[in-house]
């Protein structure tokens, strides 16, 4: 790297961080997630404005590969954090409804997206028609779990029944959608068959071998407790933390995207994770990402799996401290990815035909997600307003969609024109979530639901003092 390249990459990063921070703050003031403004910053730095003169001046061609490498590292860390915060306990008490909502939204989105892809193929032909159809269906099926968590927390509905169900549905749906996308990429990949066949044994080894070993190693280094004691203490804290299901996810993961620290959580600021656990998890993340890339998938799958296998019980404080360290680095690297994505988006060339295609893309994206989630919720017995709220929330796409579209563009499954239109779709569907949510689930309904839940929890708490005052026997009125 020459002196000129070093100077330009540092100056370019300074411009990216400054603009992303300003537009992210502006988005928050408008009631939108900060990631919306940060993605817009990347688009504004691209060829859409001034026919690329600004992007060519700030990001010369010879420094863009280095910027792309930094952005990819930021995405890898982000996907690790998403996996780290994936909590299967969200499904407790919501399994049937969560499965109905997630499956309904994925099936409808995938089906409508595949039908749209058949029509779009004539205007946007790529190398593999079937791969194009399958990829576009999978891309339509994505819900941005971290952005959704942030919206729920901003609205104060993460502790309501609808909020908990939305979190559970998005978590389950994301896992299914990622697996679906992995299958599509495997089907359309150029890697030899023997490499692809290693994916399943690798995943099994990560869950059955690496996870238990990692759990014992991390539990022994958990701040505030070691060994079995650390396990017991972590389990108790994990159960107490279930009262705030969505808060931890939104605070840790979306705090990275929004450039903001989330709410206080156990272990944050008490004691650092130490070089050992931090180094082990970093190596695990990088090796897992490298292997998944070599298998013919994409490094994001390996990074996500590395975070998902980190045990939750007995590692609460350590996981929180590690997340603090990672999000500080990711906050600096992730905007570079937005810029790399924005450099490939050129909306100045969109004509009337392009606007027509964008309208159809938005219709399919919104209709598939909302319709599928609504029908799935109604089929599992949810009331109409609750089903409507879930349909609106499941339409959130944000950064996760941008990552998927970047993979498709890199593998030649999308051309640049369709990629640009799909990025606009991701922005529009994310931006419409907050205002529609205020209409479907107004503040007075949220407060009423929270009061109802508080009354139920209070009634469920035993009152030993009242029992002793009555001689240990309930009165006739209380019977």
């Amino acid at each position: 790297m020459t002196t000129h390249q070093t100077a330009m990459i540092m100056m370019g990063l300074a411009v990216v961080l400054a603009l992303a921070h300003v537009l992210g703050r502006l988005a928050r003031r408008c009631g939108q997630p900060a990631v919306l403004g940060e993605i817009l910053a990347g688009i504004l730095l691209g060829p859409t404005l001034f026919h690329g003169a600004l992007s060519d001046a700030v990001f010369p061609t010879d420094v863009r590969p280095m910027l792309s490498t930094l952005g990819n590292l930021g995405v890898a860390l982000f996907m690790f954090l998403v996996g780290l915060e994936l909590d299967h306990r969200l499904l407790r008490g919501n399994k049937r409804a969560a499965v109905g909502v997630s499956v309904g939204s994925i099936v409808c989105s995938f089906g409508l997206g595949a039908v749209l892809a058949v029509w779009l193929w004539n205007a946007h032909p790529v190398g593999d028609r079937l791969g194009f159809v399958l990829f576009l269906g999978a891309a339509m099926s994505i819900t941005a779990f971290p952005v959704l968590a942030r919206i729920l927390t901003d609205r104060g509905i993460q502790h309501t029944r609808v909020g908990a169900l939305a979190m559970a549905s998005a978590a389950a749906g994301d896992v299914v959608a990622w697996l679906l996308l992995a299958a599509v990429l495997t089907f359309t990949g150029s890697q030899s068959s023997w490499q692809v066949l290693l994916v399943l044994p690798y995943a099994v080894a990560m869950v059955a071998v690496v996870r238990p070993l990692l759990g014992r190693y991390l539990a022994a280094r958990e701040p505030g407790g070691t060994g079995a004691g650390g396990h017991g203490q972590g389990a108790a804290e994990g159960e107490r933390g279930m009262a705030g299901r969505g808060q931890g996810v939104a605070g840790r993961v979306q705090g990275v995207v929004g450039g903001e620290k989330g709410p206080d959580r156990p272990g944050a600021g008490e004691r650092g994770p130490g070089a050992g656990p931090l180094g082990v998890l970093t190596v695990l993340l990088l090796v897992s990402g490298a292997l998944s890339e070599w298998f013919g998938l994409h490094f994001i799958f390996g990074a996500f799996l590395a975070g998902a296998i980190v045990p939750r019980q007995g590692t609460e404080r350590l996981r929180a401290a590690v997340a603090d360290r990672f999000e500080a680095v990711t906050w600096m690297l992730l905007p570079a990815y937005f810029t790399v994505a924005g450099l490939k988006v050129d909306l100045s060339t969109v004509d009337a035909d392009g606007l027509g295609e964008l309208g159809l893309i938005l219709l399919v994206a919104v209709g598939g997600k909302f319709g599928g989630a609504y029908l799935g919720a109604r089929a599992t017995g949810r009331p109409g307003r609750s089903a409507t709220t879930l349909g609106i929330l499941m339409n959130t796409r944000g950064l996760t969609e941008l990552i998927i579209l970047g993979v498709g563009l890199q593998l030649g499954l999308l051309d640049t024109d369709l990629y640009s239109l799909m990025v606009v779709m991701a922005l529009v569907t994310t931006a419409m979530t907050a205002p529609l949510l205020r209409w479907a689930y107004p503040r007075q309904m949220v407060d009423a639901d929270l009061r109802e839940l508080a009354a139920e929890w209070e009634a469920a708490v035993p009152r030993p003092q009242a029992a002793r005052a009555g001689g240990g026997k309930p009165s006739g009125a209380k019977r």
Side-chain angles (χ1 to χ4, degrees):
M1 183 183 294
T2 65
T3 302
H4 172 73
Q5 289 175 326
T6 301
M8 291 305 299
I9 195 69
M10 295 180 72
M11 184 62 68
L13 274 177
V15 172
V16 167
L17 290 174
L19 186 60
H21 178 72
V22 170
L23 293 186
R25 299 269 300 186
L26 182 61
R28 296 276 294 167
R29 286 181 176 272
C30 296
Q32 296 289 346
V35 66
L36 203 66
E38 294 172 359
I39 295 174
L40 183 60
I43 295 176
L44 293 178
L45 290 172
T48 297
L49 296 180
F50 310 114
H51 302 287
L54 178 62
S55 58
D56 291 340
V58 180
F59 307 106
T61 305
D62 57 341
V63 305
R64 293 185 183 184
M66 308 167 203
L67 187 69
S68 179
T69 299
L70 293 175
N72 285 337
L73 287 174
V75 169
L77 286 170
F78 173 80
M79 292 306 300
F80 176 84
L81 288 172
V82 173
L84 189 71
E85 293 303 328
L86 189 65
D87 191 354
H88 67 276
R89 295 175 298 181
L90 287 169
L91 293 175
R92 291 180 182 175
N94 289 317
K95 287 184 180 179
R96 183 169 176 267
V99 169
V101 172
S102 59
V103 170
S105 64
I106 289 175
V107 169
C108 288
S109 298
F110 185 90
L112 291 176
V115 171
L116 177 64
V118 172
W119 182 79
L120 288 175
W121 166 261
N122 296 323
H124 304 276
V126 291
D128 186 346
R129 181 172 184 174
L130 181 58
F132 173 77
V133 171
L134 294 177
F135 176 82
L136 201 62
M140 290 289 188
S141 306
I142 294 295
T143 295
F145 177 64
V147 179
L148 182 144
R150 184 69 192 189
I151 291 174
L152 291 175
T153 304
D154 288 346
R155 290 278 296 156
I157 62 176
Q158 73 273 25
H159 299 309
T160 64
R161 289 189 178 90
V162 173
L165 180 55
M167 291 286 291
S169 301
D174 260 17
V175 172
V176 174
W178 283 113
L179 292 175
L180 178 64
L181 184 65
V184 171
L185 295 184
T186 301
F187 177 79
T188 60
S190 59
Q191 297 293 329
S192 58
S193 58
W194 70 269
Q195 287 172 295
V196 173
L197 292 176
L198 293 175
V199 172
L200 184 58
Y202 169 70
V204 172
M206 287 284 283
V207 174
V209 179
V210 177
R211 188 175 190 273
L213 294 175
L214 186 64
R216 286 195 288 270
Y217 174 80
L218 296 179
R221 289 154 180 81
E222 171 75 355
T226 58
H231 274 289
Q233 181 181 4
E237 289 174 356
E239 293 300 321
R240 289 194 296 271
M242 285 302 294
R245 291 182 176 95
Q247 186 176 358
V249 177
R252 293 183 201 172
V253 180
Q254 189 56 25
V256 174
V257 181
E260 301 170 1
K261 290 291 183 181
D264 294 338
R265 63 260 197 186
E270 292 181 7
R271 176 181 164 187
L278 191 63
V280 167
L281 291 176
T282 303
V283 170
L284 176 65
L285 153 68
L286 295 175
V287 171
S288 183
L291 286 175
S292 66
E293 187 81 22
W294 184 71
F295 291 151
L297 297 178
H298 196 273
F299 69 84
I300 57 176
F301 297 102
F304 176 80
L305 180 60
I309 67 166
V310 177
R312 301 189 67 85
Q313 288 193 357
T315 62
E316 281 78 8
R317 286 185 169 86
L318 186 60
R319 287 171 55 257
V322 167
D324 278 339
R325 302 303 189 273
F326 276 8
E327 70 181 35
V329 179
T330 308
W331 181 84
M332 293 186 292
L333 297 181
L334 203 53
Y337 183 82
F338 299 144
T339 303
V340 172
L343 291 174
K344 303 167 187 173
V345 175
D346 188 1
L347 300 178
S348 63
T349 60
V350 177
D351 53 13
D353 291 338
L355 291 176
E357 291 177 351
L358 177 60
L360 284 176
I361 290 171
L362 286 171
L363 182 63
V364 168
V366 175
K369 269 294 180 182
F370 177 84
Y374 180 87
L375 293 175
R378 294 291 285 165
T380 55
R382 306 298 300 181
R385 186 175 288 273
S386 176
T388 300
T389 303
L390 289 168
I392 292 170
L393 288 169
M394 294 298 286
N395 246 313
T396 307
R397 286 179 170 87
L399 171 62
T400 310
E401 182 74 22
L402 205 65
I403 294 173
I404 301 304
L405 296 177
V407 173
L409 184 64
Q410 176 187 340
L411 297 179
L413 296 173
L414 294 176
D415 62 18
T416 53
D417 292 337
L418 186 55
Y419 171 81
S420 299
L421 297 179
M422 293 290 287
V423 169
V424 174
M425 178 273 293
L427 286 172
V428 172
T429 53
T430 303
M432 65 191 297
T433 300
L436 287 178
L437 185 60
R438 285 192 288 269
W439 165 77
Y441 199 27
R443 187 71 249 173
Q444 60 268 27
M445 293 190 64
V446 174
D447 293 339
D449 287 347
L450 289 174
R451 284 194 297 267
E452 180 182 346
L453 282 175
E456 291 180 5
W457 291 337
E458 184 179 356
V461 174
R463 294 178 173 80
Q465 292 182 351
R468 285 195 297 268
K473 297 179 181 179
S475 65
K478 290 186 177 180
R479 287 198 195 101

